Amino acid sequence: MLPDSCEVVVVGAGNAAMCAALAAAEHEGVRVAVLERAPEEESGGNTRFTAGAIRCAYNGVDDLRQLMPDLTDEEVARTDFGTYTEDQFFDDMARVTENRTDPDLVELLVRRSYRTLLWLRSKGMRFAPIYGRQAFKVDGRFKFWGGLTVEAYGGGPGMIEAHKRAAQQRGIPIFYQANALSLLHDDDGVHGVKVRYQGKTRTIRCRAVVLAAGGFQANPEWRTRYLGPGWDLAKVRGTRFNTGDGIRMALEIGAGPCGNWSGCHAVGWDRNAPEFGDLAVGDGFQKHSYPFGIMLNARGERFVDEGADFRNYTYAKYGAVILSQPSQFAWQIFDRKVTHLLRDEYRIRQVTKVSADTLEALVAKLDDVNAAKALETIQQYNAAVRTNVPFNPNVKDGRGTQGLAVPKSNWANTIDEPPFEAYAVSCGITFTFGGLRITTDTQVVDTDGAPIPGLYAAGELVGGLFYFNYPGGTGLMSGAVFGRIAGDSAGRAARQA
Ligand SMILES: Cc1cc2nc3c(=O)[nH]c(=O)nc-3n(C[C@H](O)[C@H](O)[C@H](O)COP(=O)(O)OP(=O)(O)OC[C@H]3O[C@@H](n4cnc5c(N)ncnc54)[C@H](O)[C@@H]3O)c2cc1C
């Protein structure tokens, strides 16, 4: 039964929302209700679509062992986990956002990353090293690279299951098909939520609301309005339910917008993927191994430095680059020397792939591409590779090209050993960067800069953290850190009210 009142209402049931619910319920006497717009079988937001990769600072293997006590001595012996210090995390956030990330928010994100994962562990969530995707074996040893070492056990679905179990153990109800419509608000702040629950419009009165309803990426009208022309045609990688409702509800009562409203996280995504994410495929439509090959557009030309950096630091902005190509697609090309390095998503059944034993036959199979120009581009690229520099996928190896108008800076290999493989991608949008302005206790701020009593926000719908680009694995970390703070702040405010 949907309650008429409680202390804290959480809007959404993804990672940020569930962290908020768990943290709010730590306050004695605080009853929490979670409103999830999706039916249970589609619930869990974008979080459920992820592989569960989560970026946190750590100072070495001892920190990781505390977080992942299941790590065996044998695993530790055959792996170089390195470190990912808070300074490295800060540097990555500053570099990829071109120094625009909000200094107060990034301070919380980085400094609380590791301890928030320990907190999640205390709630029953388990973590594991991401061997398959973030470490390659060289000379018998795995080496992690790119600051991304940890994933939630069972990926995104595992993370959502762990959250649901933790909520159930603490008596926190999740109401499905509960579509939050608007906030109850007066001069003293927010006092509740209007919600359509299983077809009926109801109100829940409460002392604090946490908005964690995701970005506006699944709303083609807002995408066009804020991201620009052409974005209406992007494919949505995740849930169809993140249409900007949380942001809209807050703006309606005077909340201030913040951050990179014309920016988003978007990647190379199978050209024939459906309009929205498919939970059976999860993140399998992504094609993230382009650093080991090249990408060609409809004109048969390269258009981006595929090896500019580790894929963790380029993939989130290359979707927009693909969207800006003629007809919004590209083909990724590889030869036999690197196909063993391709990520598991290249081997799914639902893949748009062609292969051939000669380059001439391959380019003839690339749908909608100028084949003659494509062949010429590959030949020019092959001639430009600095083959005297050794190839090493675990480091930025500096094995680049010489003399090309569009250079490739690392991991350049000639494409000359059959069989050749090509994969067609278009742009898949993950989440939008613009959102609500919050304080360091995640209270939503109005357009005059004053915190709105009783209103908190966390996750994708917060603006100010990400601009232009994003370091892989930060979405889940941000949801966890700010979700926990939001729940704690809301729980405290509810007790004081
Ligand atoms: C395919 C894919 C792979 C990804 N991989 C990773 C990864 O490996 N690591 C990583 O860090 N990030 C990854 N991300 C990004 C990550 O999913 C998000 O950054 C993160 O999950 C956002 O969490 P959230 O809680 O803010 O939003 P969500 O998890 O999307 O939750 C939002 C919730 O709000 C609900 N909702 C929306 N409107 C309403 C309403 N009106 N009323 C009630 N409920 C509402 C939705 O149904 C949903 O439950 C990936 C995303 C996708 C799509």
Side-chain angles (χ1 to χ4, degrees):
M1 278 284 285
L2 195 73
D4 292 328
S5 68
C6 63
E7 278 69 40
V8 174
V9 168
V10 176
V11 180
N15 178 49
M18 297 308 293
C19 287
L22 292 172
E26 287 176 349
H27 291 269
E28 216 182 309
V30 168
R31 291 165 306 152
V32 181
V34 175
L35 306 182
E36 163 63 300
R37 180 178 167 189
E40 184 164 9
E41 59 279 12
E42 287 185 84
S43 64
N46 264 358
T47 302
R48 187 154 154 205
F49 285 85
T50 72
I54 191 157
R55 178 173 295 261
C56 78
Y58 62 92
N59 288 319
V61 72
D62 290 343
D63 283 352
L64 294 176
R65 286 198 110 149
Q66 225 183 314
L67 189 60
M68 303 180 281
D70 299 341
L71 265 184
T72 62
D73 291 342
E74 192 263 327
E75 279 172 321
V76 170
R78 69 180 161 91
T79 311
D80 177 0
F81 287 106
T83 58
Y84 187 60
T85 61
E86 292 184 350
D87 283 351
Q88 286 171 291
F89 199 166
F90 277 121
D91 285 350
D92 282 341
M93 282 295 292
R95 181 169 48 85
V96 305
T97 64
E98 300 178 22
N99 293 310
R100 285 188 185 256
T101 186
D102 181 289
D104 294 331
L105 296 186
V106 82
E107 178 85 17
L108 289 168
L109 171 73
V110 170
R111 298 231 187 270
R112 299 209 184 177
S113 59
Y114 177 70
R115 78 174 98 144
T116 303
L117 289 195
L118 287 181
W119 175 76
L120 277 172
R121 215 192 117 63
S122 77
K123 303 287 181 195
M125 197 170 284
R126 288 169 59 206
F127 299 97
I130 318 177
Y131 274 114
R133 292 178 164 192
Q134 291 297 138
F136 294 112
K137 206 171 189 177
V138 171
D139 297 333
R141 266 197 116 204
F142 282 98
K143 179 175 167 52
F144 276 87
W145 47 268
L148 193 48
T149 307
V150 178
E151 68 186 349
Y153 196 83
M159 190 174 225
I160 289 298
E161 281 313 307
H163 273 310
K164 282 166 75 173
R165 248 193 331 270
Q168 195 177 20
Q169 283 162 2
R170 289 157 184 82
I172 303 169
I174 304 172
F175 298 94
Y176 297 100
Q177 294 178 279
N179 186 350
L181 302 173
S182 58
L183 298 165
L184 308 185
H185 173 255
D186 62 19
D187 291 346
D188 296 325
V190 168
H191 307 288
V193 176
K194 190 164 156 190
V195 52
R196 192 175 314 115
Y197 178 52
Q198 298 180 344
K200 295 262 182 296
T201 303
R202 302 266 306 269
T203 55
I204 307 178
R205 297 198 72 79
C206 62
R207 293 179 173 163
V209 173
V210 177
L211 295 173
F216 60 84
Q217 61 276 1
N219 180 338
E221 198 246 4
W222 277 37
R223 283 205 304 272
T224 317
R225 197 190 304 182
Y226 296 113
L227 304 182
W231 281 99
D232 41 346
L233 305 177
K235 292 170 190 288
V236 176
R237 296 178 67 204
T239 176
R240 63 193 173 97
F241 294 100
N242 288 2
T243 51
D245 292 5
I247 299 174
R248 175 189 48 75
M249 286 188 268
L251 294 182
E252 277 170 2
I253 64 155
C258 174
N260 186 192
W261 274 70
S262 62
C264 68
H265 181 303
V267 308
W269 190 247
D270 193 285
R271 193 179 176 197
N272 290 306
E275 181 183 1
F276 298 107
D278 175 347
L279 279 168
V281 179
D283 67 1
F285 289 122
Q286 68 198 10
K287 295 289 168 272
H288 286 349
S289 295
Y290 56 84
F292 302 131
I294 60 170
M295 288 196 275
L296 300 181
N297 64 15
R299 288 194 288 263
E301 293 168 346
R302 287 181 56 248
F303 53 90
V304 76
D305 182 348
E306 302 88 348
D309 204 334
F310 287 120
R311 83 87 207 165
N312 294 345
Y313 303 117
T314 59
Y315 79 115
K317 61 179 179 180
Y318 281 2
V321 180
I322 293 168
L323 187 103
S324 69
Q325 301 308 304
S327 302
Q328 302 188 336
F329 75 91
W331 283 89
Q332 299 180 354
I333 318 274
F334 306 97
D335 81 350
R336 193 183 64 84
K337 291 195 290 297
V338 294
T339 43
H340 67 286
L341 293 174
L342 299 189
R343 293 158 57 104
D344 48 7
E345 70 237 18
Y346 285 77
R347 288 178 286 279
I348 66 169
R349 198 167 45 80
Q350 306 87 334
V351 69
T352 308
K353 169 186 177 183
V354 294
S355 48
D357 284 332
T358 64
L359 286 173
E360 289 75 7
L362 186 83
V363 294
K365 288 183 178 176
L366 304 182
D367 280 349
D368 307 321
V369 170
N370 179 333
K373 182 66 186 174
L375 188 61
E376 189 188 314
T377 302
I378 296 172
Q379 286 162 345
Q380 280 170 354
Y381 164 81
N382 282 345
V385 172
R386 296 171 60 209
T387 47
N388 56 327
V389 180
F391 170 71
N392 182 347
N394 283 326
V395 295
K396 287 210 275 188
D397 62 4
R399 183 181 159 113
T401 56
Q402 256 172 336
L404 294 182
V406 180
K408 183 169 180 195
S409 303
N410 295 285
W411 311 297
N413 278 305
T414 51
I415 299 174
D416 53 9
E417 275 189 36
F420 304 103
E421 295 184 359
Y423 297 82
V425 290
S426 60
C427 170
I429 182 168
T430 321
F431 67 93
T432 44
F433 289 160
L436 303 172
R437 188 182 297 280
I438 58 168
T439 63
T440 50
D441 65 3
T442 80
Q443 198 166 358
V444 176
V445 171
D446 70 16
T447 46
D448 291 334
I452 300 175
L455 189 61
Y456 301 84
E460 282 178 358
L461 51 61
V462 167
L465 260 182
F466 306 120
Y467 292 78
F468 314 121
N469 193 9
Y470 154 107
T474 317
L476 292 175
M477 196 70 255
S478 139
V481 166
F482 293 103
R484 183 186 182 192
I485 298 173
D488 183 46
S489 305
R492 214 163 346 103
R495 290 196 67 193
Q496 284 161 5

